[in-house]
Amino acid sequence: EKIYMATRDGFDSDYPEVYRWMTNWKMSDERLGELMVHVKDNEDDPIKGAQKWVKENQDVIEAWMK
């Protein structure tokens, strides 16, 4: 499976932080699986599961924002 992102001309200058994130964002199958497990383990509040994954993977998040 592949995930594609689409944008428009000028998006990079209008939203430089989002563009930088979109350019740097990469997730291995393993990392994506971990996120999915966290979300599944918190079915009543999937945002809580995602927040837990983010907290545990700050190094990954920071690399996306460089």
Side-chain angles (χ1 to χ4, degrees), residues 20-32:
R20 186 170 49 250
W21 172 81
M22 288 173 68
T23 302
N24 293 333
W25 184 82
K26 292 175 183 57
M27 285 190 83
S28 66
D29 290 342
E30 181 180 340
R31 236 182 229 132
L32 183 56

Side-chain angles (χ1 to χ4, degrees), residues 12-63:
D12 58 337
S13 58
D14 290 343
Y15 304 97
E17 290 180 356
V18 176
Y19 178 78
R20 186 170 49 250
W21 172 81
M22 288 173 68
T23 302
N24 293 333
W25 184 82
K26 292 175 183 57
M27 285 190 83
S28 66
D29 290 342
E30 181 180 340
R31 236 182 229 132
L32 183 56
E34 290 172 0
L35 173 56
M36 292 170 70
V37 167
H38 283 322
V39 170
K40 176 89 170 125
D41 287 348
N42 291 278
E43 286 186 67
D44 293 338
D45 188 0
I47 298 296
K48 183 178 176 182
Q51 289 171 330
K52 181 179 179 187
W53 184 89
V54 167
K55 184 177 178 182
E56 293 174 359
N57 290 277
Q58 279 298 298
D59 57 330
V60 175
I61 305 297
E62 289 174 14

